[in-house]
Amino acid sequence: MFKRKFFLPLLGILFMIPAIVKASGDAAGADAAHGTSHAVIVLAFVALIVVLAKIAGSVAEKFNQVSVLGELMLGVLLGIPVLFGIHFFDAFKTDEFVLLFSEFAVILLLFQTGLESDLHKMSRVGVPAFLVAIIGVVAPFVIGMYLVGPWLLPGLSSNAYLFLGATLTATSVGITARVFKDLKMLQSRTSQIVLGAAVIDDVLGLLILAVVAAMVTAGHVSTGEVVVIATKALVFLAASIAIGRLIAPRLGKYLSKVHAGIGMKMAMALLFCLGYAYLSTLVGLAPIVGAFAAGLLLDPVHFKRFRSPRLVRDIEDAMGECTQDDVKACVHQAVEEHRHRHVEDLIEGVAQWVVPVFFVITGLQVNLAVLADINVLLVALGLTIAAIFGKVISGVAAGKGADWKVVGVGMVPRGEVGLIFANVGKALGVVGDEAFAAIVIMIIITTIFTPVVLPMIAKMNKKKEEAQPAQA
Amino acid sequence: MFKRKFFLPLLGILFMIPAIVKASGDAAGADAAHGTSHAVIVLAFVALIVVLAKIAGSVAEKFNQVSVLGELMLGVLLGIPVLFGIHFFDAFKTDEFVLLFSEFAVILLLFQTGLESDLHKMSRVGVPAFLVAIIGVVAPFVIGMYLVGPWLLPGLSSNAYLFLGATLTATSVGITARVFKDLKMLQSRTSQIVLGAAVIDDVLGLLILAVVAAMVTAGHVSTGEVVVIATKALVFLAASIAIGRLIAPRLGKYLSKVHAGIGMKMAMALLFCLGYAYLSTLVGLAPIVGAFAAGLLLDPVHFKRFRSPRLVRDIEDAMGECTQDDVKACVHQAVEEHRHRHVEDLIEGVAQWVVPVFFVITGLQVNLAVLADINVLLVALGLTIAAIFGKVISGVAAGKGADWKVVGVGMVPRGEVGLIFANVGKALGVVGDEAFAAIVIMIIITTIFTPVVLPMIAKMNKKKEEAQPAQA
């Protein structure tokens, strides 16, 4: 039953891939008026990836896993042919158009996460989030620099251990945000703490990278510089949220007067999302931090003057034919609720299609060949244990009202942030090939760890909760 | 009143531009962990362009113009600073990420147009569409090659006149499709004829370019080659529509079994759209022809097994609380209608935001500096008259049940297709700088001609129709 359902379309689509890749090669030599532009090939590829990702996500769900795990694994699986010398996806893996989609996808995801988070709720978890972030940075750093580094990779310079420790401090919140979303836990105190801690972590990561890079290149750190970087980032976050909350209602009012359609509504929402993503990069923060801040500061009320799409009018029209009073009331309520939810629904319409691209591409970045070296594997194993342990214990700072295990596991993924650290270290010559390969494996495992483990803990907690009232 | 409404936000946003452009320059030198990736800058730029385009479109509507005209004019206006040596937008004009969005936009527009067109209706206008296409190719070609060319640009080779004539034959359907959409005329017989003729024109254009290029390079044309090119294109169109109609219901059934959410629904629709856009380029057709074919062959019934978004469930829930029978009936009807429309609504959600990018970028491509040379202007004027006259008279072949003036004017825009011809001619050395500049001006004028003139004719027709029943 299961097999027939999934196997046929999956197989059919997979068989299309070589044909498409082959054809795209032929096309380059075709004597055609329009030619086959690179853009069109990539667009078709992305469309195919999205359908495959949707299938993979659903397969994961059938096995009681979160769909993001299916998307990640799909990316990893698509990398297998490379081991046999078949380079189908290699061109797309590093294609800048594909990476543009991937970047857009993760920005959109964090914007969505921000939209579904509540600024007041977030500020109430400020203290535990800060503590979680601090412990989650200090613990893996100390373990990496003084324990795992000298023990597993003896004889390296202290700068190398410094970088190894620094790489372990990064947090990549994309995966966790998506897992919380898949588990419908975004509203919980626990997930607010993780999201808050991840934002603080990005500021701390910025400082750590500046410090260790200065230590390696100049041999010392100027306190003034560190203060300037930290101040810039913190002032940006505070000011951008404050200014945004001033501008958003006014801009919403003006733009809805110019045109109250959903096109303008969406345009305004995405201007905030992408504008903030861009602005945050100007102070050295990740674009996803800006996008999250934009989502956080925007409120349904800023969009209340815009129309909702045709359906609402259809139903209002249909209701015009009804005469009973309570009917109007209940339909009106549904419409009103929709009007409030609607920015999120509009973004969801785009995000549902775009976001999986990020996770498939993340999975595709995994170079399976690094798994071949047993020495590297051992170092990677040690690094991974340090990485997971260092972050999981940060959960204890979450305090009451939140599950420390969920918080800790939520902080584990290193993702692209860890890779940035490793790349800077490699460029500075302090991270060697062996260490780099081990870091990559550590990032892969921590990235897949959370989508596997977090749902398990959530399920256990749910069972406990269901059992408790019966006892009480 | 009008001024206050539009001026303030417009001004505010325009003032942001230099700051953003300035900042993006600074960012390149910033000592930052994440840096300011090119992708993020372009994404923020596109978001800004979309908001400006929405404002410009609404301003055009206030002046009783179609909104696409506002978007085009915005692009032209954004090019003005270049005349004063300010190159704000120059980097974006040729930026490949921006062009990717622009290409995606026009593909999405033609997919939408196809979705809103009816295959049976289209096939019923096959004969008039074919005649319109043939006349619309022959007339401007003859006028260009034998009249306007030798008269306005005397002393050139016959190959140069050949290319000039060929350039005048192109039809770019994007503008017209959008004007029909803005005027809510897409369902009319008239617009079906124009769309059909534009698709046939693309096949003819492919042949003409192959023929004239062979004439110029080899001095002769092999009939066999022309037959092969034409057969490939026609077989592709017929086969892709036939195969698509076979695959779509089956794929819809399978994919909806895997996951019935709107994400999968959208993924499937866009796989057809972008897959066909790509496949059409393999036989030398424009990607928009493939996207149009994909829209044409897809039917709401292929998506009937997918869920519609949350709102429908919200309302169904709300209705659960109602007890009266007719209430359920009327809400059910609205929901049912929505379920059928819904693929189009999903695509509209994305298209509303993406499509304006294409028209602003088209306007931005206008190099206002070419307007400075009086000789070029005169040649351009002659070319433009030939271009407009040659296409407008093709409308007479539309026959009964369609307005020949609307058909003729609808065929006028040359857009990017004309530019492709001119560029090939330039590369082959038969189109000189003067002729090229004149062709560019002709393309600009014909591109803006239709959004200005077509609504006027439509309005006059409406008045006549309203007057007639009173007389009868």
Side-chain angles (χ1 to χ4, degrees), chain A residues 255 258, chain B residues 5-17 51-52 55-56 59 74:
Chain A
L255 289 182
V258 174
Chain B
K5 226 167 163 180
F6 293 111
F7 204 65
L8 272 174
L10 200 63
L11 209 72
I13 294 176
L14 276 173
F15 268 106
M16 281 166 61
I17 298 171
V51 170
L52 292 177
I55 294 173
V59 171
L74 170 68

Side-chain angles (χ1 to χ4, degrees), chain A residues 44-112:
Chain A
F45 170 77
V46 169
L48 183 67
I49 284 293
V50 171
V51 170
L52 293 177
K54 287 280 162 196
I55 294 173
S58 303
V59 171
E61 278 177 7
K62 297 279 160 185
F63 287 103
N64 293 317
Q65 301 296 324
V66 283
S67 50
V68 61
L69 184 64
E71 294 163 15
L72 279 169
M73 292 312 296
L74 170 69
V76 174
L77 289 177
L78 292 180
I80 290 178
V82 176
L83 297 180
F84 303 97
I86 302 164
H87 293 266
F88 277 171
F89 292 99
D90 263 27
F92 290 113
K93 197 166 107 181
T94 53
D95 185 281
E96 46 178 5
F97 284 164
V98 174
L99 296 179
L100 174 75
F101 271 102
S102 177
E103 177 116 47
F104 182 44
V106 70
I107 286 174
L108 214 55
L109 173 67
L110 268 288
F111 180 57
Q112 266 193 304

Side-chain angles (χ1 to χ4, degrees), chain A residues 287-301:
Chain A
I288 56 173
V289 171
F292 180 72
L296 211 53
L297 73 90
L298 286 180
D299 198 275
V301 83

Side-chain angles (χ1 to χ4, degrees), chain B residues 242-469:
Chain B
I243 295 172
R245 285 191 81 83
L246 272 176
I247 292 175
R250 284 167 181 78
L251 194 65
K253 201 173 158 186
Y254 276 119
L255 290 181
S256 63
K257 266 186 194 161
V258 174
H259 197 274
I262 56 165
M264 185 69 99
K265 191 173 181 175
M266 181 111 159
M268 172 173 154
L270 287 174
L271 179 64
F272 269 87
C273 164
L274 298 171
Y276 269 70
Y278 165 69
L279 290 175
S280 69
T281 63
L282 295 185
V283 292
L285 292 171
I288 55 173
V289 171
F292 180 72
L296 211 53
L297 73 90
L298 287 179
D299 197 274
V301 85
H302 302 148
F303 295 93
K304 68 175 178 198
R305 288 166 211 266
F306 289 99
R307 264 201 303 277
S308 285
R310 187 172 325 156
L311 173 59
V312 174
R313 275 169 284 152
D314 282 352
I315 286 171
E316 282 172 343
D317 290 349
M319 285 307 98
E321 296 166 23
C322 304
T323 48
Q324 297 90 337
D325 271 11
D326 68 322
V327 177
K328 280 188 185 171
C330 64
V331 171
H332 231 81
Q333 192 194 330
V335 169
E336 202 50 45
E337 278 170 18
H338 175 253
R339 215 184 278 277
H340 266 247
R341 270 209 66 76
H342 195 72
V343 189
E344 297 162 45
D345 284 346
L346 269 181
I347 299 294
E348 175 76 6
V350 182
Q352 278 248 25
W353 190 77
V354 172
V355 169
V357 177
F358 173 72
F359 295 103
V360 177
I361 298 303
T362 302
L364 197 55
Q365 302 297 342
V366 170
N367 181 1
L368 291 169
V370 296
L371 296 175
D373 189 333
I374 191 81
N375 274 332
V376 170
L377 270 184
L378 281 175
V379 176
L381 199 69
L383 269 183
T384 307
I385 292 170
I388 293 176
F389 179 75
K391 287 290 184 187
V392 170
I393 59 160
S394 75
V396 295
K400 274 185 187 169
D403 183 348
W404 73 270
K405 293 188 294 293
V406 173
V407 172
V409 171
M411 298 294 289
V412 165
R414 297 307 193 277
E416 75 291 352
V417 186
L419 265 184
I420 291 170
F421 272 64
N423 277 317
V424 171
K426 206 177 173 187
L428 291 174
V430 288
V431 172
D433 282 346
E434 203 183 4
F436 188 83
I439 289 172
V440 171
I441 296 173
M442 176 274 287
I443 288 170
I444 296 166
I445 301 177
T446 58
T447 300
I448 292 174
F449 177 81
T450 300
V452 171
V453 175
L454 217 158
M456 286 184 191
I457 302 175
K459 217 176 284 167
M460 271 162 51
N461 284 350
K462 215 177 171 188
K463 266 189 197 160
K464 257 192 228 160
E465 267 171 43
E466 282 167 359
Q468 264 172 346

Side-chain angles (χ1 to χ4, degrees), chain A residues 4-6 8-9 13 16 19-25 27 30-44 47-48 50-51 54-55 58-59 61-62 96-97 99-101 103-104 107 202 205-206 209-210 225 229 251 254-255 257-259 261-264 266-268 270-271 274-275 277-279 281-287 310-312 314-315 318-319 321-324 326-327 330-331 333-335 337-338 341 345-346 348-350 352-353 417 420 424, chain B residues 4-6 8-9 13 16 19-25 27 30-44 47-48 50-51 54-55 58-59 61-62 96-97 99-101 103-104 107 202 205-206 209-210 225 229 232 251 254-255 257-259 261-264 266-268 270-271 274-275 277-279 281-287 310-312 314-315 318-319 321-324 326-327 330-331 333-335 337-338 341 345-346 348-350 352-353 417 420 424:
Chain A
R4 274 205 65 193
K5 225 165 163 181
F6 293 111
L8 272 175
I13 295 175
M16 281 166 62
I20 289 183
V21 175
K22 170 74 170 52
S24 70
D31 179 33
H34 301 279
T36 302
S37 94
H38 179 54
V40 177
I41 297 174
V42 170
L43 286 171
L48 183 67
V50 171
V51 170
K54 287 280 162 196
I55 294 173
S58 303
V59 171
E61 278 177 7
K62 297 279 160 185
E96 46 178 5
F97 284 164
L99 296 179
L100 174 75
F101 271 102
E103 177 116 47
F104 182 44
I107 286 174
D202 202 71
L206 189 66
L209 193 59
E225 243 177 82
I229 293 171
L251 195 64
Y254 277 119
L255 289 182
K257 268 187 193 163
V258 174
H259 197 275
I262 57 165
M264 185 70 100
M266 181 113 158
M268 173 174 154
L270 287 175
L271 180 64
L274 298 170
Y278 165 69
L279 290 174
T281 64
L282 295 184
V283 292
L285 292 171
R310 188 170 324 153
L311 174 60
V312 174
D314 283 351
I315 286 170
M319 285 306 101
E321 296 165 24
C322 305
T323 48
Q324 297 90 335
D326 69 320
V327 177
C330 63
V331 171
Q333 192 196 331
V335 169
E337 278 170 17
H338 175 252
R341 271 209 65 76
D345 284 346
L346 268 181
E348 175 76 6
V350 182
Q352 279 249 25
W353 190 77
V417 187
I420 291 170
V424 171
Chain B
R4 273 205 65 193
K5 226 167 163 180
F6 293 111
L8 272 174
I13 294 176
M16 281 166 61
I20 288 183
V21 175
K22 170 72 169 53
S24 69
D31 179 34
H34 302 279
T36 302
S37 94
H38 179 54
V40 177
I41 297 175
V42 170
L43 286 171
L48 182 66
V50 170
V51 170
K54 288 279 161 197
I55 294 173
S58 303
V59 171
E61 278 177 7
K62 296 279 161 185
E96 48 178 3
F97 284 164
L99 296 180
L100 174 76
F101 271 101
E103 177 116 46
F104 182 44
I107 286 174
D202 202 71
L206 189 65
L209 193 60
E225 241 177 83
I229 294 171
K232 253 169 76 180
L251 194 65
Y254 276 119
L255 290 181
K257 266 186 194 161
V258 174
H259 197 274
I262 56 165
M264 185 69 99
M266 181 111 159
M268 172 173 154
L270 287 174
L271 179 64
L274 298 171
Y278 165 69
L279 290 175
T281 63
L282 295 185
V283 292
L285 292 171
R310 187 172 325 156
L311 173 59
V312 174
D314 282 352
I315 286 171
M319 285 307 98
E321 296 166 23
C322 304
T323 48
Q324 297 90 337
D326 68 322
V327 177
C330 64
V331 171
Q333 192 194 330
V335 169
E337 278 170 18
H338 175 253
R341 270 209 66 76
D345 284 346
L346 269 181
E348 175 76 6
V350 182
Q352 278 248 25
W353 190 77
V417 186
I420 291 170
V424 171

Side-chain angles (χ1 to χ4, degrees), chain B residues 131-204:
Chain B
L131 292 176
V132 168
I134 292 282
I135 298 181
V137 160
V138 172
F141 183 76
V142 171
I143 300 173
M145 181 164 176
Y146 297 103
L147 216 73
V148 177
W151 186 48
L152 289 174
L153 291 159
L156 297 183
S157 69
S158 64
N159 276 342
Y161 300 137
L162 189 72
F163 242 97
L164 212 61
T167 305
L168 291 176
T169 65
T171 302
S172 169
V173 76
I175 303 269
T176 304
R178 180 61 198 279
V179 173
F180 280 138
K181 204 172 152 60
D182 283 355
L183 295 173
K184 297 188 182 19
M185 278 178 64
L186 270 180
Q187 307 296 332
S188 70
R189 183 181 165 88
T190 306
S191 93
Q192 300 290 320
I193 291 178
V194 174
L195 294 173
V199 168
I200 299 167
D201 242 20
D202 202 71
V203 178
L204 292 176

Side-chain angles (χ1 to χ4, degrees), chain B residues 204-234:
Chain B
L204 292 176
L206 189 65
L207 294 179
I208 293 168
L209 193 60
V211 169
V212 295
M215 292 280 276
V216 170
T217 51
H220 66 276
V221 185
S222 127
T223 322
E225 241 177 83
V226 172
V227 171
V228 167
I229 294 171
T231 310
K232 253 169 76 180
L234 291 174

